Amino acid sequence: MTDHDHPPLGIDLGTTHSLVAVFESDGPRVLEHDVGSFLVPSEVAIDDEDHLLVGAPARTVRLRRPDRGLARFKPDMGQSTSMPLGDTVLTPTTASALILKELKEVAEARLGFPVHRAVISVPAWFREPQRKATLDAGRFAGFEVQRLINEPTAAALAHGLHVDGDLRRVAVLDLGGGTFDVTVLELFDGIVDVRSSVGDVHLGGEDVTDAIVAWLNQRTTALSIDPATLARRRRRAERAKRLLSGQASVSIDLPDEDGGSVPLDQQTLEQLCAPLLQRMRSLVSQALVQAATTARDIDQVVLVGGAVRMPVVRQFARRMFEQEPLPLGEVDQLVALGAAVQAALVDGHEALRERLVTDVLTHSLGVSAVQSWADQHYQDRFVPLLGRGTTLPASKAERFSTLHHQQNEVVLEVFEGERRVASDNHLLGTLSVPVPTHDDAEARESLEVRFTHDVSGLLEVEATVLSTDERSAVVIERGGQTYDEQARLDVQAQLARLKVHPRQLLPNRWLLERATTVVEHLAGPARDELDQMLLAFEAALDGGDMERIEQWRVPLSARVGELEALLQLDLPS
Ligand code: AMP
């Protein structure tokens, strides 16, 4: 089979976890990285021997040794933040590359053949540098990145909303652990148009957990709470929050408070969430205003992200839009599934042929210019040529004139953004256009400036001096390479130098880490018992006899699982 027989992978590169999906003859499917586990924590860490760990084992290490792990680096994509890890230093981009590489390996292991191409999701509000960084991360991981897809667009595709021919307005509410995004999309005959997208990177399910912890703290008598107690309390609050997604009330044990326990019901949770819901309401209103629409004009509401499982969030959406949101489905998987649909579309998959999905601009593109009003001149004004929400491909021209008769050059600065002051936006590039000078003090030259943007991210800026028909042009590869070939090879070599565990040994390493964490939380005979099992397992690993390793691995894994649940140590995310 050639590579082209397989559609590219659809990847949800998330802040807290990532997933990989593939489109098959019966539709998209998320691939497991372990039995029953689809979510790969977006984390990297190093163990005591400086071996690099990625995903679940990395998370286990970081929870125990925060100094040896890295997490939540996606929001910093595009920045050159240095993140030391053992002997090496990673950036958010190279750390993301390791996650993508892991997903590539997971997919190859599951599918049984090598894959090279991928469609990767990004938040709709990601700007150019963050998008470029995501593309670079994909390349470092060995992918040919076919397209980036906006997360809300992916969620709509996963619901099959692009298939119908009628115009539909869709609001996508994505409430993750630490971020809330609202996007208004318009879908028409296979075209997906982002009308608006607003987000808050400091609002999410974790805030609900924090609110429960603060509420618990108020109800306890202790004057000060030590960090270990606080961490335990947070785990219990998180567990209670999740349980309340399926039942009316829970009881939270507070063993540090003389064995007391506190009841928490839906109504109290709703009160605790009120300030957060208020912030969500204002963001939804903002997105509706920007899309020039109202809640009543929204035809469908899509909920995405782990925290929308909370009934209070569903109720919020129901009230705000006066309609029932679409059934939840696999809220964690929607984006990856949609990315796989997009991957198949890019690839011209048989089942999806004829279903074109175009891209749209999520930020305006324009130039800086001097604007005049009532004899006053205003410098550095942003004049958008292709507005936010423009369906791609697109081409549009505007006329400009020179400022004075002896001007021999016009320097067009191309910006991306929405701010009225051009230099407050993101500078994409410049084009210098020679123009003829004049003796007549009143004479001016006119220029036609044209922006042409294709679906693959190429922006061509052309300027034609009308009096001479002289044309100057520049092509800006948006989402293009920020690293030159040598730099890319250097980064790949740096990543390759990291000592990665052989895949077959990873489950054992992970079990060792988990068991070590559990032992540290135990005392007395229970600790001794587990310590002995752990020693036996370590000895078996050192011996290298697979049968013996398996003999010890199975009971140890079962016991560790039981104890983790009892101690409420590491909740699956
Ligand atoms: P994400 O970033 O999409 O993984 O979102 C994770 C967030 O969803 C975290 O804040 C979790 O606590 C929250 N979450 C996951 N499952 C549930 C559940 N069943 N009920 C309430 N919140 C949940």
Side-chain angles (χ1 to χ4, degrees):
M1 247 186 188
T2 67
D3 185 39
H4 206 75
D5 297 331
H6 312 297
L9 300 174
I11 293 181
D12 172 3
L13 181 62
T15 307
T16 50
H17 55 248
S18 299
L19 297 90
V20 56
V22 68
F23 196 94
E24 291 176 331
S25 53
D26 51 350
R29 142 175 107 94
V30 173
L31 300 169
E32 290 176 325
H33 69 86
D34 203 350
V35 184
S37 303
F38 299 97
L39 308 178
V40 174
S42 302
E43 305 202 11
V44 293
I46 44 164
D47 65 12
D48 295 335
E49 291 139 34
D50 275 354
H51 275 108
L52 178 77
L53 300 167
V54 181
R59 181 162 194 263
T60 310
V61 167
R62 184 186 58 84
L63 290 176
R64 200 160 52 85
R65 299 278 311 272
D67 59 314
R68 298 188 80 86
L70 301 172
R72 297 193 65 82
F73 33 80
K74 171 172 144 174
D76 295 329
M77 289 288 274
Q79 293 177 22
S80 53
T81 321
S82 300
M83 307 187 298
L85 187 70
D87 292 343
T88 188
V89 175
L90 297 180
T91 64
T93 307
T94 48
S96 296
L98 291 171
I99 306 294
L100 289 169
K101 199 155 170 265
E102 172 71 13
L103 295 173
K104 187 169 182 282
E105 282 168 19
V106 164
E108 288 176 344
R110 287 289 149 220
L111 296 170
F113 48 76
V115 275
H116 304 294
R117 299 177 301 148
V119 167
I120 304 175
S121 69
V122 287
W125 47 265
F126 252 24
R127 286 178 174 273
E128 211 44 38
Q130 294 148 310
R131 285 172 192 262
K132 275 185 178 160
T134 308
L135 286 171
D136 286 331
R139 292 191 184 116
F140 296 154
F143 279 120
E144 183 191 320
V145 184
Q146 304 249 280
R147 184 85 68 98
L148 298 179
I149 181 171
N150 290 318
E151 288 165 4
T153 304
L157 296 196
H159 273 293
L161 295 183
H162 60 298
V163 174
D164 210 329
D166 296 336
L167 172 73
R168 290 196 229 186
R169 280 208 186 92
V170 180
V172 182
L173 273 54
D174 183 347
L175 188 65
T179 58
F180 178 56
D181 295 329
V182 194
T183 308
V184 177
L185 301 171
E186 242 174 42
L187 296 114
F188 177 65
D189 205 17
I191 293 180
V192 183
D193 201 353
V194 177
R195 305 301 306 170
S196 68
S197 185
V198 299
D200 187 334
V201 287
H202 300 290
L203 174 60
E206 299 307 307
D207 294 296
V208 177
T209 310
D210 289 344
I212 300 175
V213 173
W215 176 78
L216 285 174
N217 290 348
Q218 273 172 12
R219 297 173 64 99
T220 56
T221 46
L223 283 178
S224 68
I225 306 167
D226 63 277
T229 308
L230 201 58
R232 202 160 35 241
R233 203 166 277 181
R234 197 166 197 292
R235 283 197 292 272
R236 289 183 186 183
E238 172 72 22
R239 191 182 181 78
K241 176 183 81 172
R242 291 184 188 219
L243 285 173
L244 279 174
S245 294
Q247 61 197 56
S249 66
V250 290
S251 160
I252 307 176
D253 288 338
L254 291 175
D256 322 296
E257 296 289 315
D258 308 326
S261 81
V262 182
L264 176 63
D265 59 17
Q266 277 302 336
Q267 218 180 347
T268 315
L269 181 66
E270 219 176 300
Q271 283 163 9
L272 294 177
C273 288
L276 302 170
L277 295 178
Q278 184 52 39
R279 284 167 64 195
M280 285 168 62
R281 193 168 295 120
S282 113
L283 288 162
V284 171
S285 304
Q286 223 171 301
L288 290 169
V289 169
Q290 278 187 20
T293 188
T294 63
R296 270 167 200 265
D297 289 325
I298 296 293
D299 301 308
Q300 240 128 20
V301 180
V302 175
L303 300 179
V304 199
V308 299
R309 292 200 185 89
M310 288 191 293
V312 53
V313 173
R314 208 174 160 75
Q315 192 180 41
F316 159 82
R318 197 182 294 129
R319 285 189 187 147
M320 188 111 200
F321 291 95
E322 295 179 22
Q323 63 178 287
E324 199 55 40
L326 284 178
L328 287 182
E330 296 293 340
V331 284
D332 290 322
Q333 299 187 6
L334 280 180
V335 172
L337 292 171
V341 172
Q342 175 69 292
L345 284 164
V346 169
D347 211 38
H349 196 285
E350 219 34 68
L352 292 160
R353 212 153 266 170
E354 307 288 311
R355 296 274 166 232
L356 176 78
V357 176
T358 61
D359 248 322
V360 294
L361 283 182
T362 47
H363 298 288
S364 305
L365 298 173
V367 293
S368 70
V370 175
Q371 283 178 327
S372 307
W373 179 255
D375 288 339
Q376 297 282 338
H377 297 302
Y378 298 93
Q379 309 265 353
D380 197 20
R381 311 309 298 180
F382 180 54
V383 181
L385 270 89
L386 296 176
R388 176 173 53 191
T390 302
T391 304
L392 301 178
S395 181
K396 205 172 155 225
E398 286 244 355
R399 290 217 173 157
F400 295 88
S401 67
T402 50
L403 281 173
H404 55 84
H405 65 293
Q406 283 182 332
Q407 188 172 343
N408 61 3
E409 182 187 40
V410 172
V411 179
L412 286 172
E413 289 181 312
V414 181
F415 286 98
E416 176 204 53
E418 315 306 329
R419 308 290 291 270
R420 293 177 67 222
V421 173
S423 52
D424 286 347
N425 294 310
H426 174 64
L427 179 69
L428 292 178
T430 56
L431 170 66
S432 124
V433 187
V435 287
T437 56
H438 296 273
D439 294 332
D440 175 0
E442 295 302 312
R444 299 288 181 269
E445 281 293 328
S446 288
L447 266 83
E448 185 182 83
V449 177
R450 176 172 289 279
F451 273 31
T452 306
H453 202 301
D454 74 359
V455 284
S456 69
L458 290 184
L459 168 68
E460 186 186 40
V461 179
E462 281 178 86
T464 310
V465 180
L466 295 182
S467 67
T468 60
D469 221 16
E470 198 86 26
R471 181 180 165 273
S472 315
V474 61
V475 174
I476 298 172
E477 195 192 341
R478 307 182 64 236
Q481 223 146 317
T482 41
Y483 291 76
D484 62 23
E485 193 51 22
Q486 189 52 49
R488 187 178 66 79
L489 292 175
D490 289 349
V491 175
Q492 273 182 333
Q494 180 215 348
L495 295 181
R497 268 200 307 275
L498 295 167
K499 295 177 283 178
V500 185
H501 277 286
R503 176 146 296 278
Q504 68 276 18
L505 295 183
L506 265 180
N508 296 336
R509 283 252 40 114
W510 186 18
L511 183 56
L512 274 183
E513 294 292 347
R514 286 168 58 203
T516 309
T517 307
V518 173
V519 167
E520 287 170 6
H521 281 80
L522 292 174
R527 183 184 171 114
D528 295 341
E529 178 221 13
L530 190 67
D531 202 36
Q532 288 303 315
M533 287 178 86
L534 189 50
L535 270 177
F537 181 55
E538 280 172 329
L541 281 177
D542 287 342
D545 176 345
M546 290 315 273
E547 222 167 284
R548 256 192 84 212
I549 294 176
E550 214 42 29
Q551 211 180 349
W552 283 106
R553 198 182 64 80
V554 175
L556 179 66
S557 169
R559 185 74 186 127
V560 166
E562 276 167 24
L563 289 166
E564 278 175 341
L566 266 176
L567 295 163
Q568 301 183 5
L569 267 182
D570 185 14
L571 290 156
S573 58

